[in-house]
Amino acid sequence: MASSGEEPRSGSPGRAGTGTEPSPTADAAQLDTGEDFEVLEEEEEEEEDLSELPPLEDVSRPPVPPRDDAQPSEQSQGEAAEDSQEWLDVLGNGLLKKKTLVPGQGVDTRPRKGQDVTVRLKATLEDGSVVEENPALTFTLGDCDVLQALDLCVQLLEMGETALIVSDAKYCYGAQGRSPDIPPNATLTLEVELLAAQDAPDLELLSGKEKIELANRKRERGNFFYQQADYVLAINSYDIALKVIGSSSKVDFSPEEEAELLDVKVKCLNNLAASQLKLDHYEAALKSCNLVLEHQPGNIKALFRKGKVLAQQGEYRDAIPILKAALKLEPSNKTIHAELSKLVKKHADQKNVETEMYRKMLGNPSAAGAPGKCKDKLPWSIPWKWLFGATAIALGGVALSVVIAARN
C-alpha cells in the first residue's frame, strides 16, 4: 500500500508525545466512514451539576475554629465572603477556578505565551485519588500542549506561585475521560507550582532530529484532541506542527532527516484534512489533500478523502475517477468499493434529474409526439393541397376569360 497518513491516537496525560505509530502496512480497510480514525460522535456539551460537590473552601484547607469574640453567624459569613474572593473565575462561567496557595514573586514574573514553562503538577479526582503527578512538566505555553485548564491557568501564575485549580471535564478529558484512571465527565483538581519560564528555542537553529521531535509532539497533541472530538484544537495543533516543519533552517539536514520530516508533514496534512472534513470545511480539506498528493500522488488516504470532499460538494463526475485511482492502488479495499458504488449511483440519479429538467425547460414532453404524427402524414397531404391550389387557379383563369369575352 502507498504511504499514507497516521491515525490520531490519544496522547499522554499531561502532554502528547507517547502515542504509538501504526504499522505502515496497516490494512487500508481502516479507511471507513470515520476517515481512518476511531469514530467519535459529536455530543452536546452539558454543564455538569456541581450542586453535590463540597464547598470550594473545603477543598484546600480545614475549617477555621470560631473565635470567642465573634458571633458564629458573622464568623461563618465572613469566612465564606473571604474565601469566595480568593477563588478566581478564570473564564467567567464557573467551570474553571484558580486559588493561590503560596504567593509568587509578582505580576511581572508571569510567563508569556510562546515561552517554555516548567511546572510541578499533581492532579486528583473529586474522591481524592491521584491520577497524575509530575515534578517537572515542561511545555510551550499557549500551544495547547497540555490540558486546557493547565494551559489557561499557568498564564496567570507568578514565578514560584503554587495554586489550586478546579476544572470541569470540558477543559480536561471531556466526555471520553482517560482509560483506565479518569472516568468520563470527571472534574479534576490540579495543584500547580510554576518553577521556570524561558523563551522557546529558535526554530532556525534546531537540528533535524530536534525539529522532527518537536513536530511530532505537536502532531500527537492534535491526535489527542481529535480523539476528544475537539476538531478545532486538533486543527490548531496540526497547523503548529506544519509551521515547525516549514520553518527555515540554518542547519543542514541529512537526506534521512529530510525524508522523515516529509513523512511527518504528510501525516499532519492527512489528519488536518480529516479534522476539516469533520467541520465541513470542504475547501480547506481539499487544499490539504492536494498538498499531500503533490508529494505523494499515490497516497491512498489523500485520494480517498479528496473523493469524499468532492462528493460532499456534489462533484460526482470529478470524485469518481479519483476513487477509481485509489481503488486501482488498493483493489481489495471494501470501503473504497462501497464509496465508489454509492457515488456512481448518485451520479446516475443526478444525470436523470438533469435530463428531466432539460426536457421540462424545452417544453411539455407529452406534446412532443404531435409533430411526429404530422410528419408521418406529410407525404400524403402535399399532393392534395397542390391539386386543390391548381384547381382554384384553373377556375380563376376560366372566369377571367369569360369576363374578358363578355366585355368584348
Side-chain angles (χ1 to χ4, degrees), residues 22 31 36-37 48 53 85 104 121 131 140 214 220 255 262 338 349 362 385 394:
L31 287 170
D36 200 17
F37 302 102
E48 186 176 354
L53 295 181
Q85 293 177 356
L121 173 66
V131 293
T140 303
L214 179 59
E220 288 167 1
L262 178 59
D349 293 341
L362 295 174
K385 290 181 180 180

XYZ file of all heavy atoms in Angstrom, residues 22 31 36-37 48 53 85 104 121 131 140 214 220 255 262 338 349 362 385 394:
153
model
N 1.098 3.685 13.967
C 0.567 2.461 13.402
C 1.539 1.877 12.410
O 2.407 2.561 11.875
C -0.712 2.945 12.699
C -0.408 4.357 12.351
C 0.473 4.878 13.440
N -9.884 2.686 6.155
C -10.462 3.865 5.535
C -11.976 3.730 5.542
O -12.601 3.414 4.542
C -9.963 3.997 4.090
C -8.520 4.432 3.911
C -8.102 4.291 2.475
C -8.340 5.859 4.360
N -10.630 6.997 8.622
C -9.418 6.316 9.029
C -9.046 6.573 10.479
O -7.950 6.324 10.900
C -8.249 6.715 8.127
C -7.134 5.688 8.201
O -7.366 4.559 8.650
O -6.030 6.032 7.822
N -9.977 7.121 11.237
C -9.754 7.326 12.642
C -10.855 6.623 13.411
O -11.866 6.244 12.867
C -9.795 8.809 13.014
C -8.791 9.638 12.271
C -9.180 10.420 11.213
C -7.463 9.628 12.628
C -8.269 11.184 10.531
C -6.548 10.397 11.952
C -6.957 11.169 10.896
N -21.961 20.332 33.898
C -22.092 19.325 34.942
C -22.758 19.930 36.173
O -22.526 21.077 36.528
C -20.718 18.789 35.318
C -20.785 17.623 36.291
C -19.407 17.085 36.554
O -18.478 17.561 35.897
O -19.259 16.213 37.403
N -21.140 18.827 44.951
C -19.729 18.956 45.315
C -19.610 19.650 46.670
O -20.449 20.465 47.050
C -18.985 19.773 44.270
C -18.880 19.158 42.873
C -18.094 20.076 41.968
C -18.213 17.801 42.923
N -13.657 35.421 47.529
C -12.783 36.392 46.893
C -11.446 35.756 46.498
O -10.796 36.195 45.564
C -12.546 37.572 47.835
C -13.807 38.407 48.092
C -13.558 39.515 49.089
O -12.465 39.611 49.645
N -14.565 40.338 49.330
N 3.444 34.210 44.666
C 4.641 34.213 43.831
C 5.443 35.484 43.980
O 5.300 36.227 44.956
N 3.230 19.411 38.933
C 1.801 19.141 38.760
C 1.362 17.935 39.576
O 2.052 16.909 39.611
C 1.491 18.883 37.281
C 0.078 18.412 36.943
C -0.943 19.512 37.241
C -0.010 17.971 35.490
N -4.331 10.978 40.067
C -4.306 10.374 38.732
C -3.071 10.790 37.943
O -2.767 10.198 36.902
C -5.577 10.732 37.937
C -6.796 10.080 38.558
C -5.764 12.246 37.835
N 5.109 24.247 25.968
C 5.061 25.589 25.382
C 3.727 26.229 25.741
O 2.672 25.706 25.389
C 5.228 25.536 23.865
O 6.470 24.885 23.547
C 5.238 26.938 23.266
N 9.953 17.848 17.801
C 9.013 18.921 18.130
C 7.751 18.823 17.277
O 6.627 18.936 17.792
C 9.692 20.277 17.930
C 8.827 21.515 18.207
C 8.324 21.493 19.649
C 9.612 22.795 17.927
N 1.015 14.789 17.641
C 0.375 13.842 18.548
C -0.623 14.541 19.475
O -1.626 13.948 19.876
C 1.443 13.105 19.358
C 2.227 12.107 18.512
C 3.483 11.598 19.200
O 3.720 12.023 20.352
O 4.202 10.807 18.595
N 19.774 13.547 4.294
C 18.666 13.066 3.450
C 17.645 12.255 4.242
O 16.441 12.333 3.969
C 19.377 12.211 2.398
C 20.769 12.755 2.330
C 21.088 13.188 3.726
N 9.390 15.040 5.798
C 8.334 14.963 4.794
C 7.252 13.980 5.221
O 6.054 14.233 5.031
C 8.925 14.553 3.444
C 7.921 14.379 2.294
C 7.159 15.685 2.040
C 8.628 13.926 1.021
N -17.294 0.382 -1.667
C -18.622 0.824 -1.250
C -18.835 2.303 -1.562
O -19.898 2.702 -2.057
C -18.804 0.568 0.243
N -28.290 9.099 -10.745
C -29.515 9.788 -10.331
C -29.444 11.269 -10.679
O -30.441 11.871 -11.106
C -29.729 9.623 -8.821
C -30.020 8.185 -8.436
O -30.400 7.407 -9.341
O -29.849 7.830 -7.242
N -37.455 22.606 -22.238
C -37.704 22.664 -23.684
C -39.181 22.534 -24.023
O -39.567 22.756 -25.165
C -36.911 21.557 -24.391
C -35.392 21.696 -24.310
C -34.722 20.480 -24.902
C -34.937 22.955 -25.029
N -53.075 19.206 -51.330
C -53.011 20.678 -51.274
C -52.617 21.270 -52.631
O -53.130 22.295 -53.058
C -52.002 21.109 -50.183
C -52.489 20.818 -48.760
C -51.465 21.279 -47.758
C -51.945 20.999 -46.337
N -50.963 21.440 -45.332
N -57.015 27.249 -62.036
C -57.658 26.975 -63.339
C -59.043 27.605 -63.419
O -59.414 28.236 -64.434
C -57.752 25.471 -63.549
